[in-house]
Amino acid sequence: MTEPARSPGETRIVDLRSDTVTRPGRAMRAAMAAAEVGDDVYGEDPTVNRLEHECASLLGMEAALFVPSGTQSNLAALLAHCDRGDEYVAGQDAHTYRFEGGGAAAFGGIQPQPLPFQDDGTLDLDEVAAAIKPDDYHFAKTKLVCLENTQGGKPIGPAYFATVQTFAHEHGLRVHLDGARLFNAVVALGCSARDFGQYCDSVSVCLSKGLGAPAGSVLCGRSGFVDAARRWRKVLGGGMRQAGVLAAAGLYALTHNIERLAEDHRRANILVEGLRGIGLPAEQHTNMVFVRGRDKDAMIAHMKSRNVRVSGSRWVVHMDVTDDDIRHVIDIARALS
Ligand SMILES: *Cc1c(COP(=O)(O)O)cnc(C)c1O
């Protein structure tokens, strides 16, 4: 059961800016306090080792690496897959290209080749094929395709990843999946994380989004790849010591908070229906609702004046949002329609 996220007396603020705003509840904190720990840079933190083992097995992959953030997870993956002068193909709006400070170029000399996402969040493989550079020293070496799931909240089914794997084998490319919200796709589509892991060379999952842990991501792949990424994690400053206190939150999240993502999807559906009902055009993808055609700043200001935080047209439902909160949000959004 969801625990109260606010202390008594605290002003009730509904925060829909992102699913990163969740706060660990009592049971997760108890798991953190009870964690057995050791020095993870020496590989001696039993809780981190357990989290890595469980994640690898959930994704059906050989090995896994616990990292402080999703950004570092993707960067370590890019650095492990690519050398200087190599290239990765990614969506124009992909997190790995647009929202990670150009880290792959800044730290790895790795060039991005952005392509537009299609409406369903996939990359068109004909466009990817056309973007692959010939083997000629005028060009960067195209090494990797980076995909995202969910993409803008849209869940992409395993069949697409099967096609991508075949394509990648034909063209000598590897496939990295930024699965920051992969479990939202798993729950929405009723499949398993392995259904995706089997088609990818590496997968990064966030524990700190809808799963509700305070920090941490896990990067999964073959053991040689994870060894290389572990080296890069240290170089990037991500080697933590008694990180078991954080890994314990991640283990708690994997055990208790995957299935409950369906609750977020259900509430996002009530929200989108409610907004449409009051004449506001909106779309829902898993735990995200996109409000269309309204002035962003006016919307942020109005909602804020009634204790609802949004950062623009994307309103994100997460474990600290209740049915009452959703009713309140719809009620005050009336003034926007
Ligand atoms: C949040 C997110 C990340 C990385 O997140 P951090 O904030 O660095 O943990 C990566 N990819 C996607 C798609 C994300 O939404």
Side-chain angles (χ1 to χ4, degrees), residues 169-199:
H169 285 164
E170 282 166 7
H171 292 87
L173 304 177
R174 295 204 197 129
V175 180
H176 172 67
L177 172 58
D178 175 0
R181 298 186 178 85
L182 186 65
F183 291 108
N184 291 85
V186 162
V187 167
L189 301 172
C191 53
S192 78
R194 282 168 176 259
D195 293 339
F196 299 101
Q198 66 176 319
Y199 299 124

Side-chain angles (χ1 to χ4, degrees), residues 6 10-15 307-309 320 325:
R6 303 168 190 84
E10 198 178 343
T11 309
R12 189 170 190 77
I13 290 176
V14 185
D15 195 339
N307 293 326
V308 176
R309 306 196 70 175
D320 292 352
D325 290 338

Side-chain angles (χ1 to χ4, degrees), residues 88-94 113-128 144-148 151 156 160 163-164 167 176:
Y88 69 105
V89 179
Q92 189 75 49
D93 294 315
Q113 167 63 67
L115 292 174
F117 277 125
Q118 303 185 96
D119 283 347
D120 63 357
T122 63
L123 291 175
D124 179 324
L125 295 183
D126 290 336
E127 287 182 22
V128 177
L144 182 70
V145 180
C146 285
L147 297 165
E148 215 168 278
Q151 202 292 308
I156 303 165
Y160 173 72
T163 314
V164 172
F167 171 90
H176 172 67

